[in-house]
Amino acid sequence: MRVRLKNSIALSGIVQIILVKWLGSHPEWVEQYYSEGIYLIISKFLRLLFGWIPFSVGDLLYTALGILALRYIFRNRVLIKKKPFSFFRDVAMLLSLIYFIFHLCWGMNYYRVPITEKLQIGSVYTTTELASFSNYLVAKTNHYQEQVAPDTLTPVKITAAKAAIFKSTIEGYQQLERSYPFLTYQQPSLKQSLYSLPLTYMGYGGYINPFTNEAQVNGKIPAIRLPTISGHEVGHQVGYSAEDATNFIGFLVTSKNKDPHFKYAAYSHALAYCLSDLSLRDKGRFDELYAKLNPGVKKNYKELRDFWKRYKNPTEPLFKAVFNAFLKANNQEKGIESYNAVVGLLINYHKVHGF
C-alpha cells in the first residue's frame, strides 16, 4: 500500500471521531437512518452469514488477529526499531479502519434515541419507590421459587441444556415483538463463547461481537443467570448498545417466558439489582426485605457470589477499568455503573405498564 494512502487512512481516524460525535448529537438522525435503517440490513446479513455456524466465528477471528499481530511484531522487530514512525503509522491506520467498521456494523447504536423514549417512561425514582418495588420483587421471586423448587429451602436449579435456553430466549423475542415491533429479532445468532473462561476471570457474563454480530454468552456462569444474560446479549443484537437498556430488555423477554424457571431467573436478577441499590440508600430497609426472601433464593444468591469469588483475580479491576473507559467514550456517561441504571427503567416501566 502506498505511503500517501496509509497516511490518509491513519489521519482519517481524527475526522471519523469528529463525525461520530457530531452525528451522536442528533440521536433522532441516528435512530431513523442508522438504527432503524442501515444497521438492520447489516446486522441481519452478518447473522445470516455466521449465525448457522455452531461455534463462535468472532472468537476465532480475534484469536487469528492476535496471532497475526504477534507474528508481525516478532518478524519485523528489527525494522520496527529502525523505523518506529512507520510502525506507529501502520498501527494508527489499523485502528482507524477498526473504528470505522465498528461504528458501521454496530457502534453507532450508542447514540440512538434512548429506550425510555420508545417506551415513554422515565428513569428517575425515589428511595421510597425503590423500597416498594423491591418488596414487590421479593414476593414475585419467592412465588416462582416455590413453584419450581420442592420447598422454600431448596435453591432453584435450571437443568436445561444451554442450547435449549438459547432456543427459549429466541422464542421469547418472537413473543415480545408482538408488543414491541422495534425489538424484532431475525436470523438468530446466539452462542456460547469460546472465551468463557477468560470472560469469567474478567468478570463478564457475555458480550456481542460487533464485527460478526454474534451474541456471546459465558458458558461457565451458573445456569440460573443464563436466561437473562442471553436476553441481554440479544438485546445488543436488536440494536441497543446501552447496558441499562439491554439489562431491561433481558428482564422483559425472560419474565414473559412461559417457563417458571425463566420467570424466576428474571425476577431474582432484577431483585438483585434493586437490593444492591437499596443497600446503599437505606440499609435498614434492605435488611428487612432481604429477611423476607425464602432460604432457597438466598442460596441461589450465595451460589452466584461464590462463583465470582472463585475467579476473582488482580487483573479483573484492570479489565473493568478499560471497559468503563470504553463505555464512557461511547456516550455512556455512567460507564460500567450504567448496568445498575436498569433499576430506574424497571421501576418506571412497572408504574406505567406493570408486569
Side-chain angles (χ1 to χ4, degrees):
M1 188 180 292
R2 294 181 178 179
V3 173
R4 182 175 295 179
L5 179 58
K6 286 185 176 182
N7 290 339
S8 298
I9 295 174
L11 291 173
S12 72
I14 299 173
V15 178
Q16 289 182 60
I17 292 172
I18 295 172
L19 180 60
V20 165
K21 296 303 178 184
W22 178 72
L23 288 173
S25 65
H26 298 85
E28 66 282 356
W29 294 358
V30 176
E31 183 76 21
Q32 181 178 355
Y33 298 110
Y34 179 78
S35 297
E36 294 184 348
I38 297 172
Y39 174 72
L40 295 182
I41 298 170
I42 293 174
S43 61
K44 279 192 282 188
F45 170 74
L46 290 173
R47 293 198 297 273
L48 177 65
L49 190 63
F50 300 114
W52 62 274
I53 302 175
F55 54 82
S56 172
V57 177
D59 284 352
L60 293 180
L61 176 64
Y62 285 157
T63 303
L65 290 176
I67 293 172
L68 288 173
L70 292 174
R71 180 174 176 270
Y72 175 84
I73 293 173
F74 178 76
R75 294 187 64 178
N76 296 277
R77 59 190 184 281
V78 176
L79 184 61
I80 291 172
K81 288 182 179 180
K82 288 182 178 180
K83 297 182 177 181
F85 174 80
S86 295
F87 172 70
F88 288 114
R89 188 268 319 281
D90 289 348
V91 170
M93 180 185 70
L94 180 60
L95 291 176
S96 178
L97 289 171
I98 291 173
Y99 187 85
F100 174 78
I101 297 171
F102 169 76
H103 283 90
L104 176 65
C105 290
W106 183 73
M108 282 305 300
N109 284 313
Y110 276 114
Y111 302 93
R112 72 181 301 177
V113 171
I115 196 171
T116 49
E117 292 190 28
K118 285 277 192 178
L119 298 173
Q120 296 184 329
I121 60 173
S123 60
V124 178
Y125 57 97
T126 65
T127 301
T128 300
E129 289 174 324
L130 172 61
S132 176
F133 182 64
S134 299
N135 187 55
Y136 168 79
L137 290 181
V138 166
K140 297 289 283 188
T141 301
N142 283 341
H143 169 73
Y144 287 113
Q145 185 272 336
E146 292 166 15
Q147 272 200 3
V148 297
D151 52 59
T152 60
L153 301 175
T154 306
V156 172
K157 296 291 183 183
I158 294 181
T159 58
K162 294 182 183 69
I165 293 174
F166 295 163
K167 184 174 182 291
S168 292
T169 298
I170 294 167
E171 291 172 349
Y173 270 91
Q174 292 170 350
Q175 296 174 9
L176 188 62
E177 71 178 62
R178 297 171 187 170
S179 301
Y180 302 111
F182 65 92
L183 296 178
T184 297
Y185 182 45
Q186 298 176 335
Q187 302 297 338
S189 183
L190 178 57
K191 307 176 183 181
Q192 177 176 323
S193 175
L194 299 175
Y195 289 145
S196 289
L197 183 59
L199 283 174
T200 305
Y201 279 110
M202 293 164 67
Y204 300 135
Y207 77 100
I208 182 175
N209 189 309
F211 307 107
T212 62
N213 213 266
E214 295 169 293
Q216 314 277 3
V217 174
N218 180 347
K220 291 192 68 66
I221 59 175
I224 198 67
R225 278 289 180 265
L226 285 178
T228 49
I229 289 176
S230 298
H232 173 108
E233 299 307 332
V234 173
H236 283 313
Q237 286 181 302
V238 299
Y240 281 89
S241 300
E243 301 300 339
D244 58 339
T246 47
N247 262 350
F248 175 75
I249 294 169
F251 166 82
L252 207 59
V253 71
T254 308
S255 66
K256 290 184 179 297
N257 195 291
K258 295 179 181 179
D259 187 340
H261 290 85
F262 268 60
K263 290 183 178 295
Y264 174 78
Y267 283 104
S268 62
H269 199 177
L271 177 61
Y273 277 112
C274 290
L275 287 179
S276 176
D277 191 11
L278 187 61
S279 68
L280 299 175
R281 293 182 176 220
D282 189 336
K283 186 61 166 57
R285 188 64 173 145
F286 162 81
D287 291 336
E288 180 184 337
L289 291 179
Y290 190 78
K292 291 183 178 181
L293 283 174
N294 290 343
V297 178
K298 294 178 181 179
K299 288 176 183 177
N300 276 134
Y301 284 153
K302 184 178 185 302
E303 174 191 10
L304 289 162
R305 288 196 303 271
D306 290 346
F307 171 79
W308 290 114
K309 188 175 180 180
R310 285 198 303 273
Y311 290 95
K312 196 171 183 63
N313 64 92
T315 65
E316 183 181 333
L318 175 62
F319 287 117
K320 292 289 180 68
V322 171
F323 188 50
N324 184 59
F326 169 81
L327 290 175
K328 289 185 176 180
N330 284 281
N331 205 38
Q332 303 299 293
E333 295 180 1
K334 295 183 179 179
I336 207 164
E337 292 181 5
S338 61
Y339 281 88
N340 299 74
V342 68
V343 174
L345 300 183
L346 289 166
I347 291 173
N348 283 279
Y349 181 88
H350 183 255
K351 285 194 296 185
V352 176
H353 302 286
F355 46 68

